[in-house]
């Protein structure tokens, strides 16, 4: 058994579009270890889904190769299909089935008995609070309900590797939270998880490592905490100015650091760490300041995302390689 579940080696993919070719990914090299949750982030059209399709064997890379447990994905497509459950971005093909059958048949395709597949299907419907929809046709479900059943078909059968392409799109906050906790639950039971998401703030609570992709290139792959060390280490104070007093608050705060206006009465102040306690004292000792409240926020994965993107954009201008 290889140390890596996936070993992506110098993978590139070009699509033919009329007479031109689109380079969707370019020399991507990365690996996924057993038991981790890896998030794949990047803007629209960055090449995330292309990478996922290469991992599951739906696309054969134009260059390079993808190894699954040490062997080329394309030399063992049946094994990969049996071990990797994939939630695709596009609606799946089960639309003429009843909800319960979509789940049970998928479970049986993964080698479960009809009885066990039905048991797991009913359990999932209950977790989703969708037990009353079991007999409904898939095509009669709402967009979010369809997505939940799609997630159910990925989870049923307890595959050792789960790949989700934007699992929480279109879901209400309660369902999104449920999906993230189900993903973590399966991971605790041993599943390796790879997920593409635009929901950076929610993903931050769940993922171990993050791959940032843009223009088909891997810009970063690291643990969230290590990536955070790359961003601005100044503390971020978010302040609300008293009504109509934003400019007054701004002029006082400018003495302490860089002030950014976030909205009509919201300000962001970036302060060097060693200055922070003095700023606290200053606010406490001056109750007449036109500031209603404030919070301190540490760097988030979203800050990391924007930082990496900005560095890559300026490197591209300088014609310089941005990968570490
Ligand atoms: N089948 C295809 N034929 C031609 N071009 C394609 C095809 N699929 C994707 N592309 C192009 O390849 C690039 C990468 O697309 P991809 O779907 O991998 O991006 P993505 O990061 O998943 O985007 P999104 O977040 O919008 O889903 C884009 O420029 C896209 O237009």
């Amino acid at each position: 058994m290889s140390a890596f579940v996936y070993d992506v080696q110098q993978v590139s993919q070009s699509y033919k579009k009329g007479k031109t070719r689109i380079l969707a990914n370019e020399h991507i090299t990365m690996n996924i270890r057993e038991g981790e949750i890896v998030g794949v982030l990047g803007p629209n059209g960055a090449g995330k889904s292309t990478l996922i399709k290469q991992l599951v064997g739906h696309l054969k890379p134009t260059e390079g190769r993808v190894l699954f447990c040490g062997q080329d994905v394309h030399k063992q497509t049946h094994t990969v299909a049996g071990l990797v459950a994939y939630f695709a971005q596009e609606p799946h093909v089960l639309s003429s089935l009843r909800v319960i059958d979509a789940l049970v048949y998928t479970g049986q395709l993964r080698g479960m008995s009809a009885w066990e597949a039905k048991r797991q299907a009913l359990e999932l419907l209950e977790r989703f609070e969708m037990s009353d929809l079991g007999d409904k046709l898939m095509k009669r479900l709402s967009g979010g309900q369809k997505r939940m059943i799609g997630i159910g078909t990925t989870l049923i059968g307890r595959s050792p590797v789960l790949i989700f392409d934007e699992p929480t799109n279109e879901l209400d906050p309660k369902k999104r939270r449920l999906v993230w906790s189900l993903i973590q639950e399966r991971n605790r039971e041993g599943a390796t998880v790879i997920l593409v998401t635009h929901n950076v703030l929610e993903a931050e609570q769940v993922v171990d490592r993050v791959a940032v992709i843009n223009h088909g290139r891997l810009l970063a792959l690291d643990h969230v905490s290590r990536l955070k060390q790359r961003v601005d280490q100044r503390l971020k104070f978010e302040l609300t100015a008293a009504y109509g007093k934003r400019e007054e608050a701004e002029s006082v705060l400018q003495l302490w650091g860089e002030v950014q206006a976030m909205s009509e009465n919201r300000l962001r102040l970036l302060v060097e760490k060693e200055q922070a306690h003095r700023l606290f004292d200053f606010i406490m000792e001056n109750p007449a300041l036109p500031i209603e409240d404030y919070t301190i926020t540490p760097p988030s994965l979203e800050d990391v995302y924007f930082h990496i993107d900005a560095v890559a954009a300026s490197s591209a201008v300088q014609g310089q390689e941005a990968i570490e």
Side-chain angles (χ1 to χ4, degrees):
M1 173 89 176
S2 156
F4 302 130
V5 172
Y6 275 109
D7 189 2
V8 179
Q9 300 180 341
Q10 288 289 330
V11 158
S12 300
Q13 188 80 46
S14 66
Y15 293 111
K16 220 172 161 186
K17 201 172 181 189
K19 286 187 180 159
T20 55
R21 293 192 85 82
I22 291 172
L23 201 52
N25 60 21
E26 201 181 343
H27 302 304
I28 292 198
T29 294
M30 62 186 281
N31 55 58
I32 310 282
R33 299 171 198 134
E34 193 179 347
E36 68 176 344
I37 306 186
V38 175
V40 181
L41 309 180
N44 293 127
K48 305 178 298 295
S49 298
T50 300
L51 175 65
I52 295 299
K53 286 177 192 160
Q54 290 162 331
L55 296 181
V56 292
H58 291 189
L59 272 177
K60 191 171 193 311
T62 329
E63 275 179 53
R65 58 185 194 154
V66 177
L67 304 186
F68 177 75
C69 299
Q71 295 235 19
D72 197 313
V73 163
H74 281 275
K75 293 192 176 138
Q76 45 161 350
T77 43
H78 282 296
T79 309
V80 174
L83 296 175
V84 180
Y86 168 48
F87 175 79
Q89 218 185 100
E90 303 86 30
H92 47 73
V93 291
L94 305 168
S95 58
S96 55
L97 293 181
R98 290 187 314 149
V99 165
I100 186 77
D101 296 333
L103 290 166
V104 171
Y105 294 163
T106 310
Q108 287 182 281
L109 282 173
R110 296 215 172 101
M112 299 163 77
S113 68
W115 183 86
E116 177 58 15
K118 184 147 188 203
R119 191 192 67 76
Q120 281 195 25
L122 294 173
E123 189 183 293
L124 282 166
L125 287 176
E126 199 178 323
R127 289 289 299 273
F128 295 172
E129 295 182 2
M130 291 172 70
S131 299
D132 54 330
L133 299 178
D135 288 327
K136 225 174 173 179
L137 288 177
M138 287 289 291
K139 61 184 164 203
R140 303 261 180 266
L141 298 181
S142 73
Q145 290 170 335
K146 256 186 226 157
R147 271 194 117 65
M148 285 308 291
I149 302 305
I151 285 163
T153 60
T154 314
L155 295 175
I156 200 160
R158 300 185 190 276
S159 303
V161 181
L162 305 173
I163 300 188
F164 296 95
D165 198 345
E166 302 194 13
T168 56
N169 259 11
E170 281 189 281
L171 298 182
D172 66 53
K174 195 172 166 196
K175 290 280 191 294
R176 285 212 304 270
R177 189 177 284 188
L178 174 65
V179 168
W180 289 123
S181 67
L182 282 165
I183 287 173
Q184 283 179 298
E185 219 174 272
R186 285 301 158 88
N187 174 252
R188 279 196 295 273
E189 291 164 9
T192 305
V193 182
I194 301 160
L195 56 92
V196 170
T197 183
H198 287 293
N199 210 326
V200 182
L201 290 175
E202 288 179 8
E204 178 172 0
Q205 313 303 317
V206 175
V207 299
D208 299 311
R209 287 197 301 156
V210 171
V212 182
I213 292 183
N214 200 358
H215 303 298
R217 293 164 68 190
L218 181 66
L219 302 179
L221 174 67
D222 214 334
H223 292 275
V224 177
S225 56
R226 287 236 288 270
L227 287 174
K228 281 183 180 172
Q229 287 167 6
R230 292 199 204 175
V231 302
D232 196 334
Q233 288 301 305
R234 288 176 293 178
L235 286 178
K236 225 182 335 168
F237 280 69
E238 308 257 350
L239 306 107
T240 307
Y243 183 73
K245 298 277 176 82
R246 195 193 79 194
E247 284 179 11
E248 193 183 319
E250 216 171 329
S251 65
V252 177
L253 294 171
Q254 266 160 3
L255 303 172
W256 291 89
E258 183 187 331
V259 183
Q260 300 161 351
M262 308 302 291
S263 66
E264 190 50 37
N265 66 337
R266 299 280 301 161
L267 294 166
R268 178 179 285 171
L269 173 65
L270 298 166
V271 185
E272 297 299 337
K273 271 185 188 160
E274 50 279 10
Q275 286 273 52
H277 71 279
R278 290 182 51 222
L279 174 61
F280 268 130
D281 293 346
F282 175 73
I283 294 174
M284 291 300 173
E285 287 161 10
N286 291 281
L289 280 175
I291 292 169
E292 292 199 330
D293 64 57
Y294 62 90
T295 54
I296 303 176
T297 50
S300 69
L301 186 55
E302 196 168 64
D303 297 323
V304 169
Y305 176 85
F306 287 120
H307 172 77
I308 292 170
D309 205 45
V311 169
S314 69
S315 307
V317 169
Q318 294 160 22
Q320 175 191 322
E321 179 59 63
I323 303 174
E324 279 203 344

